[in-house]
Amino acid sequence: MSQDAANQNPVKLDFVRQIVADDCKSGKWDGRVVTRFPPEPNGYLHIGHAKSVCLNFGIASEFGGKCHLRFDDTNPEKEEQEYVDSIIEDVKWLGWDWGENLFFGSDYFQQMYDWAVDLIKKGKAYVCDLTAEQTREYRGGVEGGKDSPYRSRSVEENLELFEKMKNGDFPDGAKTLRAKIDMAHPNFNMRDPVMYRIVHATHHRTGDNWCVYPMYDWAHGLEDSIENITHSICTLEFENHRPLYDWFLDALEVYHPQQIEFARLNLTYTVMSKRKLLKLVQDKLVAGWDDPRMPSLSGMRRRGFSPEAIRNFCRTISVNKFNSTVDFALLEHCLRQDLNKTSPRVMAVLNPLKVVIENYPEGQIEQLEAVNNPEDSSAGTRQVPFSREIYIERDDFMEEAPKKFFRLTPGREVRLRYAYFVTCTDVVKDSDGNITELRCTYDPATKGGDAPDGRKVKSTLHWVCAENALDAQVRLYEHLFTKENPDDVEEGKDFTDYINPNSLTTLTGCKIEPSLRNAAPLSRWQFERLGYFCVDTDSKDGNLVFNRTATLRDEWAKIKNAQKK
RNA sequence: UGGGGAAUAGUGUAACGGUAGCACGAGUGGCUCUGAACCACUUAGUCAAGGUUCGAAUCCUUGUUCCCCAGCCA
């Protein structure tokens, strides 16, 4: 029974959960629910994988079942331990727990081999000497293929040859083991698919033990069967492979899970294929797999995404059988929803403009109380220093204020958050006319931010005390691509031609309030009025580095934009 | 020209023969010591055409459009 249903808070079930729920009701699997997340360790996990992870682990937890983490490591030429490690880290970070159920397809190589021998004995598999190119020719097109000349070898000969293949008696590509199905089948996957190929390569786990490696179609169903999976959930492109998945398991007469296919995730302004992400990394178009602009989970973690936000996002987009592209804004919404509740507030100035408060005593520093998180009273308060010289955001001052600009301008009174009302009295400029400093006066009666006479101000600014400010580097990010769909390329171009030149802006000399002096790497903060920021892993003592995870929603930016037009 | 899938507001998703709803986005207003958050309102949809039915997004027929498949990758 689904937890949500048990809580009498029935959520609408997606089609996969509906199947699982129906099966639980009918007792199809004796009430068991066993799913698996089966990544190939040939790349880092990305937000698209998170959809699958959350589906599989989510179903297991909601229906009182379990979910295995299984590495589908059947191709030694592409797979590496580095990827195994990163995948484990990422799934764990997302908050899922596979308990004892960490498996590797390669652990089943012997069982798979034995089953292949069974199939040969049943006359349902044969050793084929056709080259890769010949195999393709024989497979044929829509009109059908033709039988391999090796199709009718005797069981004895097949057994002997297959053993020799295993023992390494033949060079790479010399022979394959194929299932004997139907070369005229309208589904190409059923035209005597290859089960084993000869590869003399060192596997990251089994070393040089094997010279033959199983193909996906052969291996995957067997892995599922061995692990007693009930619902084998995979992406849409495997729909064509389901008849073969079923054929192998039926031919072997072994435990037979149900394969269910769903549509993979697409997101605007990003690419999601491992191949393309790898190219971005290898061509150094980004700083690595964990570059905060990458949709990889390691990148998003470094950017400041919370696991909670990603999990909510995956639940929100649901799952279906048709291709769709989710608006990046929805991801951002889920992000902000979580960070708003959980991020401590802090004041930071990205583009500092010095302000001297002329009637404030020189040399005086007072501590003012600031709320850490208005969404969470248990987060308490902290003291923020204030003095005669402070920094405010350059964008918060305009000498000639347009309509609807409520912030500081000569002669106007505004509030410095948690501090005082101040009025701008003078603008200091250099010889080129650039504003270098503002002169203000303050009203001592407004300490804390409220006027005893009840007068109001239109706007509240964040600020940082000049004397105590911490210097920091802040990295601002925008979409990695300028195009909503970077895969939709014009003639002669490729997706890398649409990389956004402004995807990364590095700001130095940013001013941060002193409470962040020892902020831990990957800790998440809201810089008031600016956005959510995360301490980068490059950050070191005395050399703070922040990533902007996301901006706050910004009404003024919209107005400004509209006024420009 | 073969096979396998799929079509619901701009986007993502519900409705399982009985009032087409929710979220995001966009817009308007309210509130505010974050132009945030929060609150209210507005916007906009069943791929098409037939049929069955008292009643169709849902069932049937025909058509249209889109996605996947001819690796010894997964």
Side-chain angles (χ1 to χ4, degrees):
Chain A
M1 175 66 78
S2 152
Q3 261 182 10
D4 295 313
N7 292 341
Q8 292 186 321
N9 179 23
V11 290
K12 283 151 192 163
L13 298 183
D14 55 68
F15 85 101
V16 182
R17 276 179 246 252
Q18 189 64 58
I19 292 170
V20 175
D22 290 347
D23 288 349
C24 286
K25 202 173 169 191
S26 72
K28 179 174 175 184
W29 307 101
D30 304 319
R32 295 163 43 243
V33 173
V34 186
T35 56
R36 99 268 95 109
F37 174 63
E40 183 191 12
N42 69 343
Y44 281 68
L45 257 32
H46 54 63
I47 180 75
H49 293 109
K51 178 177 179 180
S52 175
V53 170
C54 292
L55 219 212
N56 280 293
F57 279 93
I59 285 174
S61 84
E62 289 155 33
F63 290 88
K66 50 186 187 169
C67 179
H68 300 177
L69 175 58
R70 179 175 74 224
F71 289 93
D72 203 359
D73 53 351
T74 57
N75 184 353
E77 292 175 307
K78 288 189 179 171
E79 296 151 7
E80 295 172 25
Q81 187 60 38
E82 176 197 351
Y83 296 128
V84 172
D85 297 340
S86 76
I87 290 167
I88 287 177
E89 184 186 0
D90 288 346
V91 176
K92 209 180 274 178
W93 175 73
L94 268 182
W96 302 107
D97 181 14
W98 50 87
E100 303 294 296
N101 302 300
L102 174 64
F103 301 114
F104 292 84
S106 55
D107 285 345
Y108 312 139
F109 281 170
Q110 184 61 48
Q111 172 68 264
M112 292 178 190
Y113 180 85
D114 294 343
W115 271 332
V117 169
D118 285 351
L119 230 50
I120 293 172
K121 287 177 181 165
K122 288 179 177 183
K124 292 184 174 180
Y126 63 97
V127 173
C128 181
D129 298 3
L130 257 28
T131 63
E133 195 182 337
Q134 289 169 323
T135 305
R136 195 179 316 126
E137 282 166 25
Y138 276 73
R139 189 159 31 232
V142 289
E143 71 289 344
K146 55 184 178 185
D147 288 1
S148 160
Y150 307 98
R151 202 173 199 259
S152 51
R153 285 216 252 236
S154 69
V155 169
E156 293 68 32
E157 192 184 0
N158 281 323
L159 252 18
E160 190 188 324
L161 288 172
F162 187 45
E163 184 167 4
K164 283 185 171 173
M165 282 168 66
K166 181 197 71 169
N167 293 339
D169 291 353
F170 306 115
D172 286 5
K175 290 178 176 4
T176 56
L177 183 73
R178 297 226 258 161
K180 193 187 283 188
I181 306 179
D182 178 3
M183 289 306 292
H185 200 108
N187 181 340
F188 296 115
N189 297 126
M190 301 296 274
R191 317 240 260 233
D192 289 11
V194 173
M195 295 163 59
Y196 279 95
R197 74 279 206 185
I198 300 172
V199 180
H200 294 267
T202 303
H203 186 279
H204 66 102
R205 298 193 84 239
T206 60
D208 297 320
N209 293 353
W210 295 89
C211 301
V212 290
Y213 287 91
M215 299 291 291
Y216 169 87
D217 286 307
W218 169 246
H220 203 88
L222 306 187
E223 294 163 7
D224 287 343
S225 182
I226 291 168
E227 294 178 16
N228 268 285
I229 300 300
T230 55
H231 305 269
S232 177
I233 302 165
C234 61
T235 46
L236 243 33
E237 67 269 26
F238 292 105
E239 224 158 5
N240 291 321
H241 296 245
R242 183 164 14 107
L244 185 51
Y245 181 101
D246 291 336
W247 189 93
F248 280 133
L249 264 14
D250 287 343
L252 253 18
E253 299 174 86
V254 296
Y255 174 85
H256 190 155
Q258 178 185 0
Q259 176 177 306
I260 303 166
E261 310 84 10
F262 72 96
R264 59 168 74 226
L265 170 69
N266 298 294
L267 251 192
T268 55
Y269 299 106
T270 183
V271 294
M272 212 67 96
S273 93
K274 275 191 204 171
R275 204 204 93 236
K276 286 176 181 162
L277 295 176
L278 183 62
K279 183 178 165 64
L280 290 174
V281 173
Q282 285 180 338
D283 294 358
K284 303 207 182 304
L285 298 167
V286 296
W289 278 102
D290 68 345
D291 186 300
R293 292 167 292 181
M294 291 282 273
S296 57
L297 293 179
S298 53
M300 293 172 75
R301 173 166 60 235
R302 188 170 171 189
R303 173 82 170 255
F305 278 75
S306 62
E308 192 62 29
I310 294 174
R311 295 222 304 262
N312 286 340
F313 171 72
C314 290
R315 199 58 202 246
T316 301
I317 59 174
S318 190
V319 39
N320 242 315
K321 286 197 69 116
F322 44 90
N323 299 302
S324 59
T325 302
V326 176
D327 196 334
F328 192 88
L330 183 57
L331 213 209
E332 272 193 317
H333 165 77
C334 295
L335 213 212
R336 292 190 182 113
Q337 190 173 261
D338 182 53
L339 297 186
N340 177 49
K341 284 195 215 108
T342 57
S343 299
R345 271 60 169 174
V346 99
M347 290 199 283
V349 174
L350 265 31
N351 296 298
L353 173 59
K354 182 173 267 188
V355 174
V356 178
I357 300 161
E358 294 186 311
N359 59 337
Y360 192 88
E362 268 183 74
Q364 175 175 314
I365 292 187
E366 57 185 324
Q367 299 292 331
L368 301 167
E369 186 174 49
V371 173
N372 286 332
N373 186 348
E375 306 287 329
D376 176 10
S377 54
S378 72
T381 61
R382 70 187 183 287
Q383 301 295 114
V384 189
F386 182 82
S387 67
R388 189 167 189 264
E389 297 194 357
I390 60 165
Y391 294 107
I392 66 164
E393 208 68 59
R394 289 201 97 93
D395 286 351
D396 283 341
F397 176 80
M398 281 182 97
E399 205 167 6
E400 284 164 41
K403 230 182 153 76
K404 292 198 176 174
F405 181 85
F406 304 145
R407 283 112 96 141
L408 197 58
T409 192
R412 181 184 290 169
E413 185 173 54
V414 300
R415 173 168 37 233
L416 295 177
R417 180 142 223 216
Y418 300 124
Y420 295 97
F421 285 11
V422 292
T423 306
C424 177
T425 53
D426 203 7
V427 181
V428 183
K429 295 179 186 176
D430 65 14
S431 51
D432 296 327
N434 300 311
I435 300 172
T436 55
E437 191 180 294
L438 258 31
R439 297 266 153 174
C440 291
T441 56
Y442 85 119
D443 178 357
T446 57
K447 180 170 179 179
D450 283 306
D453 63 5
R455 74 180 190 277
K456 302 284 181 197
V457 287
K458 250 325 211 176
S459 139
T460 300
L461 309 187
H462 62 275
W463 52 273
V464 173
C465 172
E467 189 174 328
N468 297 282
L470 265 24
D471 270 303
Q473 182 189 112
V474 176
R475 299 170 184 169
L476 308 180
Y477 301 101
E478 290 177 20
H479 294 136
L480 222 204
F481 296 95
T482 52
K483 228 173 169 231
E484 242 190 61
N485 179 7
D487 292 321
D488 175 26
V489 295
E490 291 162 48
E491 193 66 30
K493 294 196 168 189
D494 86 333
F495 75 102
T496 58
D497 291 317
Y498 303 108
I499 288 184
N500 180 1
N502 303 121
S503 60
L504 167 63
T505 305
T506 302
L507 263 30
T508 54
C510 304
K511 304 294 182 183
I512 317 284
E513 69 166 66
S515 69
L516 253 53
R517 183 177 304 281
N518 301 117
L522 296 183
S523 60
R524 296 183 279 263
W525 307 87
Q526 186 198 95
F527 290 178
E528 294 218 33
R529 302 210 306 134
L530 295 174
Y532 298 99
F533 293 78
C534 177
V535 179
D536 190 80
T537 44
D538 285 345
S539 204
K540 291 185 187 67
D541 258 5
N543 190 7
L544 285 168
V545 180
F546 290 89
N547 294 313
R548 183 173 70 192
T549 311
T551 61
L552 254 25
R553 292 185 77 235
D554 189 350
E555 196 69 27
W556 167 239
K558 280 185 199 168
I559 296 169
K560 206 166 52 174
N561 244 313
Q563 285 179 345
K564 249 186 251 170
K565 283 170 192 164

